[in-house]
């Protein structure tokens, strides 16, 4: 039990820190992609390519460079989280009704003011949607941390697999799925509440 | 010939068609008109069995539609739906020849039909047949929607507000086209609209509906001269009464009651958003007690406005106003003599009663003129 | 440089693993699509069951790959067949989801027009609904294929063979060469699958729909 709680805690911590970092990086990249259209398609294409790399392959490759441990896992999670958040940020920004931007420009806001006061606030529900997708993915990818010496629930699951012990696998797997479903549900509610405010 | 005999349609407790009976003789252009939600679309869709009456019977050329296979029935009745509904994955030619193909016409017959129909609406085959709907203008899409309904030469064509979303000029030219086509090909057309101008222009017979009932079915002339219900009168209003402002008419009889107001405390961005939604370029500003303060225009806000500031700072108080009991003719003269686009009509307590705009004035006068020519 | 010599010396063995890997992906994605498309279409006709099935499907999708493969290992044992079973099940999900939403998102104006001009339900499906949903269905297949390339490397753990064998061996023995030999081709393969299906999608989309896609 103690072991399970520790593992769950570790799992959540790695995912949490990676998501905070990924959100900051990805939102910035999304805004950059919105401001500089040409650069934007490069950014998104790169994030798409990163996303297609098989997770085991990416982890193994990162391990060669960064060695064993939590840092490597965190970098992998950040890389996988980039695309959904960048894409949602970028799409939300380019799909803002032009008259609103016109109006903001008309009342004399600078580009940075427009971003902070009008554009980003209106895009928050959609950005949250991207973070939600990234978060749910990360919870499940983080299980593979066990293969590169990082902590978390993967350890319990992997030992279960090695012992061909269904019960142990389940003990490790259930928290992952429950937490993922919980976050999916919670973020969806948050999204909907925010959406009501902005629309 | 289309005959409705005691047709009723209910959705749960709501009666959408209430014991409707009428007959449309072959070759007639019938226009169904009435306020939104009165059952026009339902009536139309009952004809080709997209909706089944309960109880009641619909006959086409004396045959109960319920005795016919719905798919076969629909292939013999042209149908133009309210939102055009051209298939975006098909070219113009494929869209037009959909029904002939369903009916297994030979290939060259389909091609001939497409050719002929496109010629009928002045859209050359070479230029348009292989375009996709997304590559056409709204008016062109509407034309193709009508042609698709005509392609298998159905004796009956149903049209549900086919020109609803068009600008007035395109709309008028399409109205002429459809009337010409109907005369030439001798179709029975059932045409739904909520625009009385359109009804008067096109109809051999007008069916006026309200609340699922037929209030009056008559020729345009008869309806103009003897409207049988107050709501019909108000639909015809502009055509029978407002022949310009007559002596002794009050401003209130001449105004539009729908005025877009905004509180003086509203913010600039919010006001712009509201103007955009309502498609107007100015709003009437009132205080918390609904008293008139002035107007505010989009140009002023764009030129001077700051985000987050209240609209009260940008009020234009020079807008013309009149009292609702003032003489209409004077109000109009005042408007025409000024450079402004409207006069605000106020109640005695200075709350807003309505608005008289330049366009509505011109329209009323034009219609008065046109109405006389027609009858 | 070292990488190139590495691949040259191990060429035939890698080639064989690559072939197995491609086979795993093509077989499971094809089977998955064959199951998912008709199922997705059927679901659009029964909205209530659809909601339950789709919710279950997306819950299944949150189960980590390692766990699914662990189940398969315990229940079905080691080998290519259990691996293919898991891969197939997993490949169903994105295609099912996209088929369902693709068809339900066809505007009612189009289906209404189709019925109104006298198409039967089948004609409406094949001439209007499926062509309009095709883009969504193919992008579901694309997502599926990319996932399955990834899952297939994991499936090396339960004896599926393929490029995963090299990575697993590399991880177990801390042998960077083996990791590179498996990971680099796997990454390229995923990218190529994605690009190829993307190109197919562009070819199959009629011009009238392209602008909006
Ligand atoms: N499937 C349905 N279920 C319940 N009510 C319906 C249904 N279809 C139509 N109604 C109701 O029936 C009434 C008549 O609808 P109908 O579409 O015939 O109106 P309409 O005269 O064509 O209106 P509009 O001018 O807005 O197109 C409306 O009040 C509508 O809300
Ligand atoms: Mg209608």
């Amino acid at each position: 039990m103690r072991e399970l709680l520790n593992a769950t805690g570790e799992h959540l911590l790695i995912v949490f820190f990676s998501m905070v970092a990924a959100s900051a990086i990805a939102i910035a990249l999304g805004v950059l992609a919105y401001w500089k259209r040409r650069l934007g398609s490069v950014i998104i294409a790169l994030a798409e390519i990163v996303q297609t790399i098989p997770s085991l392959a990416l982890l193994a490759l990162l391990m060669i460079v960064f060695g064993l441990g939590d840092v490597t896992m965190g970098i992998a999670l950040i890389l996988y989280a980039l695309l959904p958040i960048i894409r949602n940020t970028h799409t939300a920004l380019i799909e803002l009704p032009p008259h609103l931007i016109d109006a903001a420009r008309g009342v004399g806001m600078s580009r940075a003011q427009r971003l902070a006061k009008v554009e980003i606030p209106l895009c928050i529900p959609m950005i949250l949607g991207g973070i939600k997708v990234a978060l749910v993915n990360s919870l499940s990818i983080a299980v593979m941390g066990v293969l590169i010496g990082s902590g978390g629930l993967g350890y319990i699951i992997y030992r279960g697999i090695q012992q061909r012990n269904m019960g142990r696998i389940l003990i490790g797997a259930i928290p992952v799925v429950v937490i993922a479903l919980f976050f999916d549900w919670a973020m969806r509610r948050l999204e909907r509440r925010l959406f009501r405010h902005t629309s | 010939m289309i005959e409705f005999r005691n047709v009723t349609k209910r959705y749960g407790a709501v009666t959408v068609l209430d014991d409707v009976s009428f007959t449309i003789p072959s070759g007639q252009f019938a226009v169904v008109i009435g306020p939104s939600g009165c059952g026009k679309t339902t009536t139309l869709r009952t004809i080709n069995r997209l909706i089944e009456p309960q109880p009641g019977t619909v006959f086409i050329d004396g045959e109960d539609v319920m005795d016919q296979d719905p798919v076969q029935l629909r292939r013999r009745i042209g149908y133009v739906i309210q939102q055009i509904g051209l298939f975006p994955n098909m070219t113009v030619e494929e869209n037009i020849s959909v029904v002939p193909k369903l009916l297994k016409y030979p290939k060259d017959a389909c091609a001939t039909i497409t050719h002929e129909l496109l010629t009928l609406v002045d859209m050359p085959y070479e230029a348009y047949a292989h375009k996709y709907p997304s590559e056409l203008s709204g008016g062109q899409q509407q034309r193709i929607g009508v042609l698709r309904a005509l392609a298998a030469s159905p004796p009956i064509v149903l049209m549900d507000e086919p020109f609803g979303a068009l600008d007035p000029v395109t709309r008028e030219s399409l109205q002429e086209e459809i009337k010409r086509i109907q005369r030439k090909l001798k179709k029975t057309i059932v045409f739904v609209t909520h625009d009385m101008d359109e009804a008067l222009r096109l109809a051999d017979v007008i069916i006026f509906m309200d609340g699922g009932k037929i209030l009056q079915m008559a020729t345009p002339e008869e309806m103009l001269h003897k409207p049988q219900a107050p709501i019909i009168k108000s639909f015809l209003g502009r055509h029978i009464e407002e022949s310009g402002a007559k002596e002794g008419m009050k401003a209130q009889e001449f105004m539009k009651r729908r005025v877009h107001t905004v509180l003086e405390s509203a913010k600039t961005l919010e006001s712009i958003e509201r103007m955009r939604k309502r498609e107007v370029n100015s709003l009437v500003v009132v205080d918390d007690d609904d008293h008139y303060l002035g107007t505010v225009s989009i140009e002023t806000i764009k030129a001077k406005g700051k985000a987050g500031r209240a609209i009260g700072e940008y009020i234009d108080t020079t807008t013309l106003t009149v009292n609702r009991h003032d003489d209409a003719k004077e109000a109009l003269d005042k408007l025409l003599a000024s450079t402004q686009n409207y006069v605000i009509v106020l109640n005695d307590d200075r709350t807003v009663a309505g608005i008289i705009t330049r366009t509505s004035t011109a329209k009323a006068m034009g219609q008065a003129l046109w109405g006389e020519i027609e009858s | 440089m070292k990488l190139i010599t590495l691949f040259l010396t191990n060429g035939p063995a890698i080639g064989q693993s690559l072939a197995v890997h491609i086979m795993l992906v093509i077989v499971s994605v094809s089977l998955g699509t064959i199951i998912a498309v008709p199922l997705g279409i059927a679901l659009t006709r029964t909205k209530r069951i659809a909601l339950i099935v789709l919710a279950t499907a997306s819950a299944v999708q949150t189960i980590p790959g390692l766990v699914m493969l662990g189940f398969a290992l315990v229940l079905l044992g080691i080998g290519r067949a259990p691996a293919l079973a898991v891969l197939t099940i997993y490949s169903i999900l994105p295609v099912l989801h996209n088929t369902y939403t693709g068809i339900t998102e066809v505007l009612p104006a189009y289906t209404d027009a189709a019925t109104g001009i006298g198409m039967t339900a089948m004609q409406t499906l094949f001439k209007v609904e499926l062509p309009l949903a095709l883009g969504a269905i193919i992008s579901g297949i694309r997502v599926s294929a990319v996932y399955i390339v990834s899952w297939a490397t994991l499936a090396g753990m339960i004896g599926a063979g393929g490029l995963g064998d090299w990575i697993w061996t590399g991880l177990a023995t801390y042998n960077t060469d083996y990791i590179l030999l498996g990971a680099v081709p796997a990454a390229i393969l995923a990218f190529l699958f994605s690009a190829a299906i993307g190109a197919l999608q562009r070819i199959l989309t009629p011009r009238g729909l392209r602008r909006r896609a």
Side-chain angles (χ1 to χ4, degrees):
Chain A
M1 197 61 215
R2 179 77 183 265
E3 190 196 354
L4 183 65
L5 280 180
N6 277 341
T8 310
E10 265 175 25
H11 202 91
L12 284 176
L13 271 182
I14 294 177
V15 170
F16 174 77
F17 282 117
S18 314
M19 283 309 101
V20 172
S23 303
I25 300 171
I27 294 174
L29 287 174
V31 170
L32 192 63
Y34 166 62
W35 280 347
K36 304 233 184 295
R37 190 181 291 210
R38 190 93 45 88
L39 183 62
S41 34
V42 176
I43 291 176
I44 291 174
L46 283 178
E48 262 166 6
I49 291 177
V50 170
Q51 187 89 14
T52 59
I53 301 176
S55 40
L56 185 65
L58 183 70
L59 270 181
L61 290 173
L62 287 175
M63 193 195 75
I64 296 177
V65 184
F66 298 99
L68 295 172
D70 292 345
V71 176
T72 308
M73 191 64 231
I75 293 173
L77 291 183
I78 291 174
L79 286 175
Y80 277 121
L82 289 179
L83 182 66
I85 308 177
I86 294 179
R87 185 148 51 191
N88 275 31
T89 309
H90 179 249
T91 318
L93 283 169
I94 53 175
E95 280 179 0
L96 283 176
H99 67 269
L100 270 175
I101 297 169
D102 246 21
R105 202 177 276 151
V107 298
M109 288 185 178
S110 69
R111 188 163 80 167
Q113 281 173 325
R114 248 175 13 236
L115 188 72
K117 291 194 179 160
V118 182
E119 294 167 346
I120 290 287
L122 286 173
C123 293
I124 282 178
M126 188 120 169
I127 296 176
L128 270 181
I131 296 178
K132 181 193 77 192
V133 172
L135 180 62
V136 172
N137 275 339
S138 301
L139 282 166
S140 127
I141 295 174
V143 166
M144 295 172 65
V146 57
L147 304 177
I148 54 160
S150 150
L153 288 160
Y155 186 67
I156 298 177
I157 296 171
Y158 198 58
R159 218 166 45 194
I161 294 175
Q162 283 173 332
Q163 298 167 353
R164 310 239 171 154
N165 181 335
M166 194 66 149
R168 278 201 79 88
I169 302 180
L170 280 175
I171 288 176
I174 288 171
V176 178
V177 173
V178 170
I179 294 170
L181 290 178
F182 169 76
F183 274 117
D184 187 57
W185 171 82
M187 300 275 287
R188 219 184 279 258
R189 278 195 55 150
L190 186 66
E191 236 177 294
R192 218 175 298 150
R193 282 228 344 234
L194 286 172
F195 205 67
R196 216 173 292 147
H197 282 295
T198 50
S199 65
Chain B
M1 191 182 73
I2 301 167
E3 184 186 352
F4 272 51
R5 203 177 287 168
N6 307 105
V7 172
T8 295
K9 178 73 196 175
R10 289 193 190 86
Y11 287 110
V14 191
T15 305
V16 181
L17 290 184
D18 188 0
D19 196 24
V20 170
S21 300
F22 62 81
T23 303
I24 301 170
S26 295
Q28 287 249 323
F29 200 123
V31 174
V32 183
I33 189 172
S36 197
C38 69
K40 305 182 292 291
T41 299
T42 310
T43 305
L44 207 66
R45 291 163 68 89
T46 312
I47 299 176
N48 63 0
R49 261 190 82 173
L50 284 171
I51 292 172
E52 303 191 340
Q54 233 340 304
T57 323
V58 176
F59 299 95
I60 292 180
D61 295 328
E63 258 189 86
D64 185 345
V65 294
M66 293 306 289
D67 295 340
Q68 306 180 41
D69 175 59
V71 169
Q72 297 304 325
L73 174 79
R74 288 174 200 143
R75 290 179 186 172
R76 279 183 278 115
I77 299 178
Y79 181 44
V80 185
I81 71 166
Q82 205 159 346
Q83 309 91 329
I84 315 181
L86 289 182
F87 303 124
N89 54 323
M90 301 182 191
T91 60
V92 165
E93 172 154 33
E94 286 164 345
N95 263 292
I96 294 179
S97 53
V98 158
V99 186
K101 274 193 197 138
L102 290 176
L103 291 168
K104 309 232 158 33
Y105 284 23
K107 257 208 174 99
D108 47 335
C110 292
T112 321
I113 289 171
T114 313
H115 256 103
E116 280 174 2
L117 286 174
L118 282 171
T119 319
L120 199 63
V121 294
D122 276 334
M123 291 172 66
Y125 181 90
E126 291 68 28
Y128 290 102
H130 303 297
K131 289 202 163 167
Y132 282 91
S134 60
E135 299 164 332
L136 301 179
S137 73
Q140 290 169 337
Q141 291 183 24
Q142 291 286 12
R143 284 188 176 83
I144 305 304
V146 172
L147 295 189
R148 182 175 68 185
L150 294 173
S153 318
I156 297 174
V157 181
L158 312 177
M159 309 177 93
D160 196 348
E161 301 194 34
F163 310 141
L166 296 179
D167 65 274
V169 179
T170 316
R171 188 179 178 133
E172 222 162 284
S173 81
L174 280 182
Q175 286 167 347
E176 268 162 36
E177 253 165 51
I178 191 67
K179 189 74 189 171
R180 190 165 50 81
I181 291 171
Q182 185 252 345
R183 288 210 185 101
K184 189 167 156 205
L185 306 177
K186 304 196 169 47
K187 304 280 181 202
T188 310
I189 292 187
V190 187
F191 186 107
V192 166
T193 182
H194 51 237
D195 175 1
M196 198 45 126
D197 290 353
E198 190 163 70
L200 292 170
R201 198 167 299 171
L202 294 174
D204 295 320
V205 58
I206 300 178
I207 299 173
F208 195 104
M209 298 186 64
D210 188 23
K213 285 194 167 74
I214 295 187
L215 296 188
Q216 185 173 10
M217 178 163 173
T219 63
E221 291 76 20
E222 197 182 334
M223 201 161 273
L224 268 171
H225 290 130
K226 291 194 206 97
Q228 281 176 0
I231 181 169
I232 303 182
K233 236 185 215 165
S234 78
F235 258 72
L236 287 163
R238 308 187 302 240
H239 296 275
I240 47 181
E241 286 162 0
E242 294 175 6
S243 27
K246 292 197 192 81
E247 217 62 48
M249 262 176 99
K250 305 280 188 227
Q252 60 179 340
E253 295 168 64
F254 214 67
M255 69 194 183
K256 288 200 300 191
R257 280 171 213 281
R258 250 171 85 83
V259 182
H260 302 295
T261 58
V262 63
L263 283 177
E264 60 174 326
S265 54
K267 302 283 182 284
T268 44
L269 283 182
E270 178 190 344
S271 311
I272 292 185
E273 176 61 16
R274 182 175 311 190
M275 290 187 208
R276 190 198 60 86
K277 255 192 204 143
R278 308 262 186 262
E279 292 178 330
V280 295
N281 47 24
S282 56
L283 295 170
V284 173
V285 186
V286 295
D287 65 15
D288 290 337
D289 299 321
D290 263 352
H291 291 120
Y292 173 80
L293 293 173
T295 60
V296 61
S297 74
I298 197 157
E299 288 84 21
T300 322
I301 302 184
K302 276 198 172 156
K304 301 187 207 153
K306 299 233 164 30
R309 305 297 279 271
I311 208 73
E313 298 176 37
Y314 311 106
I315 295 183
D316 175 5
T317 50
T318 62
T319 306
L320 296 172
T321 60
V322 294
N323 183 282
R324 65 183 305 160
H325 303 297
D326 285 355
D327 187 69
K329 199 158 183 317
E330 270 168 39
L332 285 184
D333 290 345
K334 216 167 161 181
L335 174 63
L336 293 176
S338 77
T339 58
Q340 299 190 358
N341 287 321
Y342 47 82
V343 183
I344 308 294
V345 185
L346 301 179
N347 294 316
D348 293 331
D349 61 357
R350 293 198 64 78
T351 54
V352 178
I355 188 168
I356 300 178
T357 64
R358 254 178 207 273
T359 27
S360 66
T361 318
K363 213 166 151 193
M365 290 177 170
Q367 276 156 354
L369 220 56
W370 175 77
E372 272 162 33
I373 296 167
E374 189 74 7
S375 55
Chain C
M1 219 30 241
K2 181 179 160 253
L3 200 63
I4 295 173
T5 29
L6 198 59
F7 275 100
L8 284 180
T9 46
N10 290 286
I14 289 290
Q16 203 167 12
S17 296
L18 187 63
V20 170
H21 210 92
I22 293 174
M23 181 279 292
L24 288 172
V25 175
I26 291 182
V27 170
S28 55
V29 173
S30 307
L31 280 177
T33 305
I34 291 171
I35 299 169
V37 173
L39 190 60
I41 294 171
L43 285 183
T44 61
R45 315 287 134 149
T46 50
K47 293 270 150 77
R48 200 169 312 163
I49 299 176
L51 290 182
I52 300 169
V53 173
L54 290 172
T56 314
S58 62
V60 170
Q61 219 156 359
T62 63
I63 302 176
L66 223 46
V67 173
M68 283 283 258
L69 289 165
F71 288 167
L73 181 71
V74 176
L75 296 176
L76 304 171
I78 281 199
R80 199 156 285 167
L84 271 176
V86 173
L87 296 181
T88 302
I89 290 175
Y90 204 78
S91 76
I92 291 175
L93 302 178
V95 186
L96 181 70
H97 185 266
N98 279 29
T99 304
Y100 179 81
T101 45
I103 290 184
T104 42
E105 278 173 8
V106 169
L107 291 179
Y110 300 136
T111 45
D112 195 50
T115 320
I117 64 176
M119 287 192 192
T120 60
M122 276 294 154
Q123 286 166 335
T124 307
L125 179 65
F126 283 104
K127 287 183 198 276
V128 180
E129 290 172 303
L130 277 180
L132 292 181
L134 191 64
I137 295 175
I138 296 180
S139 66
I141 297 176
R142 183 178 178 179
V143 171
S144 205
V146 170
Y147 273 140
I148 296 303
V149 173
S150 168
W151 276 58
T153 57
L154 272 185
M157 181 182 85
I158 62 165
L163 295 166
D165 283 354
W166 297 79
I167 308 179
W168 281 106
T169 316
L171 282 172
T173 58
Y174 297 105
N175 183 329
T176 354
D177 288 356
Y178 272 60
I179 292 179
L180 286 173
L181 282 170
V184 174
I188 296 174
L189 185 64
F191 177 74
L192 289 182
F193 261 110
S194 170
I197 299 175
L200 182 73
Q201 181 172 23
R202 245 163 285 137
I203 294 168
L204 289 180
T205 312
R207 201 171 80 233
L209 293 173
R210 262 178 225 172
R211 237 179 268 170
R212 297 184 306 155

